[in-house]
CSV table of all heavy atoms in Angstrom, one decimal:
chain,number,residue,atom,x,y,z
A,71,SER,N,-16.3,4.0,23.7
A,71,SER,CA,-17.1,3.9,22.6
A,71,SER,C,-18.3,4.8,22.7
A,71,SER,O,-19.0,4.6,23.7
A,71,SER,CB,-17.5,2.4,22.2
A,71,SER,OG,-18.4,2.4,21.3
A,72,ASP,N,-18.6,5.6,21.8
A,72,ASP,CA,-19.9,6.4,21.9
A,72,ASP,C,-21.1,5.6,21.8
A,72,ASP,O,-22.2,6.0,22.2
A,72,ASP,CB,-19.9,7.5,20.8
A,72,ASP,CG,-19.0,8.6,21.1
A,72,ASP,OD1,-18.8,8.9,22.3
A,72,ASP,OD2,-18.6,9.4,20.2
A,73,THR,N,-21.0,4.3,21.3
A,73,THR,CA,-22.2,3.5,21.1
A,73,THR,C,-22.4,2.6,22.4
A,73,THR,O,-23.4,2.0,22.6
A,73,THR,CB,-22.1,2.7,19.9
A,73,THR,OG1,-20.9,1.9,19.9
A,73,THR,CG2,-22.1,3.5,18.6
A,74,SER,N,-21.3,2.4,23.1
A,74,SER,CA,-21.4,1.6,24.4
A,74,SER,C,-20.4,2.0,25.4
A,74,SER,O,-19.2,1.7,25.3
A,74,SER,CB,-21.1,0.1,24.0
A,74,SER,OG,-21.0,-0.6,25.1
A,75,HIS,N,-20.9,2.8,26.4
A,75,HIS,CA,-19.9,3.3,27.4
A,75,HIS,C,-19.4,2.3,28.4
A,75,HIS,O,-18.5,2.5,29.1
A,75,HIS,CB,-20.7,4.4,28.2
A,75,HIS,CG,-20.8,5.7,27.4
A,75,HIS,ND1,-19.8,6.5,27.1
A,75,HIS,CD2,-22.0,6.1,26.8
A,75,HIS,CE1,-20.3,7.5,26.4
A,75,HIS,NE2,-21.6,7.3,26.1
A,76,ALA,N,-20.0,1.1,28.2
A,76,ALA,CA,-19.5,0.0,29.2
A,76,ALA,C,-18.2,-0.5,28.7
A,76,ALA,O,-17.4,-1.2,29.4
A,76,ALA,CB,-20.6,-1.1,29.1
A,77,GLU,N,-17.8,-0.3,27.4
A,77,GLU,CA,-16.5,-0.8,26.9
A,77,GLU,C,-15.3,0.1,27.3
A,77,GLU,O,-15.4,1.3,27.1
A,77,GLU,CB,-16.6,-1.0,25.4
A,77,GLU,CG,-17.6,-1.9,24.9
A,77,GLU,CD,-17.4,-2.2,23.5
A,77,GLU,OE1,-16.3,-2.3,23.0
A,77,GLU,OE2,-18.4,-2.2,22.8
A,78,ALA,N,-14.4,-0.4,27.9
A,78,ALA,CA,-13.1,0.3,28.2
A,78,ALA,C,-12.2,0.2,27.1
A,78,ALA,O,-11.9,-1.0,26.6
A,78,ALA,CB,-12.5,-0.2,29.5
A,79,LEU,N,-11.7,1.2,26.5
A,79,LEU,CA,-10.8,1.2,25.4
A,79,LEU,C,-9.5,2.0,25.5
A,79,LEU,O,-9.5,2.8,26.4
A,79,LEU,CB,-11.6,1.9,24.1
A,79,LEU,CG,-12.9,1.3,23.8
A,79,LEU,CD1,-13.6,2.1,22.7
A,79,LEU,CD2,-12.8,-0.1,23.3
A,80,GLY,N,-8.6,1.7,24.8
A,80,GLY,CA,-7.3,2.4,25.0
A,80,GLY,C,-6.7,2.8,23.5
A,80,GLY,O,-6.9,2.0,22.6
A,81,VAL,N,-6.2,4.0,23.4
A,81,VAL,CA,-5.5,4.4,22.2
A,81,VAL,C,-4.1,4.7,22.5
A,81,VAL,O,-3.8,5.4,23.5
A,81,VAL,CB,-6.2,5.7,21.7
A,81,VAL,CG1,-5.5,6.3,20.5
A,81,VAL,CG2,-7.7,5.5,21.4
A,82,TYR,N,-3.2,4.1,21.7
A,82,TYR,CA,-1.8,4.2,22.0
A,82,TYR,C,-1.1,4.9,20.8
A,82,TYR,O,-1.3,4.5,19.7
A,82,TYR,CB,-1.2,2.8,22.1
A,82,TYR,CG,-1.7,2.1,23.3
A,82,TYR,CD1,-2.9,1.3,23.2
A,82,TYR,CD2,-1.1,2.0,24.5
A,82,TYR,CE1,-3.4,0.6,24.2
A,82,TYR,CE2,-1.6,1.3,25.6
A,82,TYR,CZ,-2.8,0.6,25.4
A,82,TYR,OH,-3.3,0.0,26.5
A,83,LEU,N,-0.4,5.9,21.1
A,83,LEU,CA,0.4,6.7,20.1
A,83,LEU,C,1.9,6.2,20.2
A,83,LEU,O,2.5,6.5,21.2
A,83,LEU,CB,0.3,8.2,20.2
A,83,LEU,CG,1.0,9.0,19.3
A,83,LEU,CD1,0.4,8.8,17.8
A,83,LEU,CD2,1.1,10.5,19.7
A,84,TRP,N,2.3,5.5,19.2
A,84,TRP,CA,3.7,5.0,19.2
A,84,TRP,C,4.6,6.0,18.5
A,84,TRP,O,4.2,6.7,17.6
A,84,TRP,CB,3.7,3.7,18.4
A,84,TRP,CG,3.0,2.6,19.2
A,84,TRP,CD1,1.7,2.2,19.1
A,84,TRP,CD2,3.6,1.7,20.1
A,84,TRP,NE1,1.5,1.2,19.9
A,84,TRP,CE2,2.6,0.9,20.6
A,84,TRP,CE3,4.9,1.6,20.7
A,84,TRP,CZ2,2.8,-0.1,21.5
A,84,TRP,CZ3,5.1,0.6,21.7
A,84,TRP,CH2,4.1,-0.2,22.1
A,85,HIS,N,5.8,6.1,19.0
A,85,HIS,CA,6.7,7.0,18.5
A,85,HIS,C,8.2,6.4,18.6
A,85,HIS,O,8.4,5.6,19.5
A,85,HIS,CB,6.7,8.4,19.1
A,85,HIS,CG,6.9,8.4,20.6
A,85,HIS,ND1,8.1,8.5,21.3
A,85,HIS,CD2,6.0,8.3,21.7
A,85,HIS,CE1,8.0,8.4,22.6
A,85,HIS,NE2,6.7,8.2,22.9
A,86,GLU,N,9.0,6.9,17.8
A,86,GLU,CA,10.4,6.4,17.8
A,86,GLU,C,11.3,7.6,17.4
A,86,GLU,O,11.0,8.3,16.4
A,86,GLU,CB,10.6,5.3,16.7
A,86,GLU,CG,11.9,4.6,16.9
A,86,GLU,CD,12.0,3.4,16.0
A,86,GLU,OE1,11.0,2.8,15.6
A,86,GLU,OE2,13.1,3.0,15.7
A,87,HIS,N,12.4,7.7,18.2
A,87,HIS,CA,13.3,8.8,17.9
A,87,HIS,C,12.6,10.2,17.9
A,87,HIS,O,13.0,11.1,17.1
A,87,HIS,CB,14.2,8.7,16.7
A,87,HIS,CG,14.9,7.3,16.7
A,87,HIS,ND1,15.9,7.0,17.6
A,87,HIS,CD2,14.7,6.2,15.9
A,87,HIS,CE1,16.3,5.7,17.3
A,87,HIS,NE2,15.6,5.3,16.3
A,88,GLY,N,11.6,10.4,18.7
A,88,GLY,CA,10.9,11.7,18.8
A,88,GLY,C,9.8,11.9,17.8
A,88,GLY,O,9.1,12.9,17.8
A,89,HIS,N,9.6,11.0,16.9
A,89,HIS,CA,8.6,11.2,15.9
A,89,HIS,C,7.5,10.1,16.0
A,89,HIS,O,7.8,8.9,16.1
A,89,HIS,CB,9.2,11.1,14.4
A,89,HIS,CG,9.9,12.4,14.1
A,89,HIS,ND1,11.1,12.3,13.4
A,89,HIS,CD2,9.6,13.7,14.2
A,89,HIS,CE1,11.5,13.6,13.1
A,89,HIS,NE2,10.6,14.3,13.6
A,90,ALA,N,6.2,10.6,16.0
A,90,ALA,CA,5.1,9.7,16.0
A,90,ALA,C,5.1,8.9,14.8
A,90,ALA,O,5.5,9.3,13.7
A,90,ALA,CB,3.9,10.5,16.2
A,91,GLY,N,4.6,7.6,14.9
A,91,GLY,CA,4.6,6.8,13.8
A,91,GLY,C,3.4,5.8,13.7
A,91,GLY,O,3.3,5.0,12.7
A,92,GLY,N,2.5,5.9,14.6
A,92,GLY,CA,1.4,4.9,14.6
A,92,GLY,C,0.4,5.0,15.7
A,92,GLY,O,0.8,5.5,16.8
A,93,VAL,N,-0.8,4.6,15.5
A,93,VAL,CA,-1.9,4.6,16.5
A,93,VAL,C,-2.3,3.1,16.6
A,93,VAL,O,-2.7,2.5,15.6
A,93,VAL,CB,-3.0,5.6,16.1
A,93,VAL,CG1,-4.2,5.3,17.1
A,93,VAL,CG2,-2.6,7.0,16.1
A,94,ALA,N,-2.3,2.6,17.7
A,94,ALA,CA,-2.9,1.3,18.0
A,94,ALA,C,-4.1,1.4,18.9
A,94,ALA,O,-4.1,2.3,19.8
A,94,ALA,CB,-1.8,0.4,18.7
A,95,ILE,N,-5.1,0.7,18.7
A,95,ILE,CA,-6.4,0.8,19.5
A,95,ILE,C,-6.6,-0.6,20.1
A,95,ILE,O,-6.6,-1.6,19.4
A,95,ILE,CB,-7.5,1.2,18.6
A,95,ILE,CG1,-7.2,2.6,18.0
A,95,ILE,CG2,-8.8,1.3,19.4
A,95,ILE,CD1,-8.1,2.9,16.8
Side-chain angles (χ1 to χ4, degrees):
S71 167
D72 281 336
T73 58
S74 173
H75 291 285
E77 294 186 49
L79 307 171
V81 174
Y82 299 85
L83 178 66
W84 291 89
H85 58 90
E86 188 172 338
H87 305 295
H89 283 137
V93 171
I95 301 163

